[in-house]
Amino acid sequence: MQGRQSTSKTYSRIKSTRQATKTKKARGTAHASSAKKLNRKKYAALLAEYLPKVIQTEEENERALKMLEPLFDKAVALEMEGKTLSPEEGAVFDLLTKLIEDFESAAYPIDKVTPRAMLQHCMESRGLKQADLAPVFGSAGRVSDVLSGRREISKAQAKRLAAYFNVTADLFI
């Protein structure tokens, strides 16, 4: 499990960088891999070096993460200089990231949390009792009904809960 946690941290860093790259593209700052045409020979050489393929096992996923990490570090270093990866490196970076995302989303699915479970989590994390939320719901009875599952959280209540916990209302809808 400890190995999984360290690779998970690495992947989180990689994923956040990829998201930042997408945001820059959306704003009009072109990423090098999309701004220039790929040099087929350079790209082929990188593909031969990395040998990316569809990931089917945890070991293959670990290998892909280890291959991606130097590209990630290089991308971060270049970004600090106002530069980007070469188009070929950017394409390999995107390909490896996509392969990892596909494997991990299938291997480690995240169950959707119900609004009631989210409310219970928010209450537990802040050490709140049902009575503490009576002003948000209008009465202690309504809080009890929601927490017991007899009643759903209304949109108006979700908005008030979002303001109370300083989160998005989508968590409670």
Side-chain angles (χ1 to χ4, degrees):
M1 184 69 179
Q2 188 174 2
R4 174 77 197 128
Q5 288 175 342
S6 67
T7 56
S8 198
K9 287 178 187 173
T10 299
Y11 181 64
S12 293
R13 286 179 44 210
I14 291 166
K15 193 171 182 181
S16 66
T17 295
R18 188 164 190 251
Q19 191 62 35
T21 300
K22 286 181 182 178
T23 303
K24 285 181 183 177
K25 282 183 190 177
R27 288 188 195 139
T29 307
H31 184 271
S33 66
S34 64
K36 299 177 184 175
K37 190 172 182 172
L38 291 178
N39 178 308
R40 294 174 62 102
K41 287 184 182 180
K42 288 180 183 177
Y43 184 59
L46 284 172
L47 288 176
E49 178 183 342
Y50 287 97
L51 295 173
K53 68 179 209 73
V54 173
I55 300 169
Q56 297 176 340
T57 66
E58 185 61 40
E59 291 78 26
E60 291 173 353
N61 190 49
E62 295 291 328
R63 181 178 164 269
L65 283 165
K66 285 180 182 160
M67 289 187 309
L68 186 57
E69 193 162 2
L71 274 175
F72 170 77
D73 291 340
K74 183 176 181 179
V76 170
L78 287 171
E79 186 175 341
M80 290 170 42
E81 298 173 12
K83 300 177 184 176
T84 60
L85 293 172
S86 71
E88 298 78 22
E89 290 169 325
V92 171
F93 182 95
D94 289 345
L95 176 61
L96 288 171
T97 302
K98 176 72 171 137
L99 293 170
I100 292 165
E101 284 176 348
D102 289 352
F103 172 78
E104 292 195 354
S105 66
Y108 311 110
I110 298 173
D111 296 332
K112 182 164 175 15
V113 177
T114 65
R116 183 169 44 119
M118 183 54 67
L119 175 59
Q120 289 170 330
H121 170 73
C122 289
M123 290 174 63
E124 288 172 17
S125 68
R126 294 199 180 177
L128 299 174
K129 297 182 175 72
Q130 287 185 18
D132 297 325
L133 292 180
V136 176
F137 281 89
S139 73
R142 286 190 183 148
V143 178
S144 179
D145 287 348
V146 166
L147 291 173
S148 67
R150 290 188 298 267
R151 191 177 239 193
E152 296 295 320
I153 297 173
S154 71
K155 288 183 182 179
Q157 291 167 338
K159 288 178 184 177
R160 290 193 301 270
L161 284 168
Y164 184 83
F165 288 110
N166 197 27
V167 295
T168 177
D170 295 343
L171 295 176
F172 303 110
I173 296 176

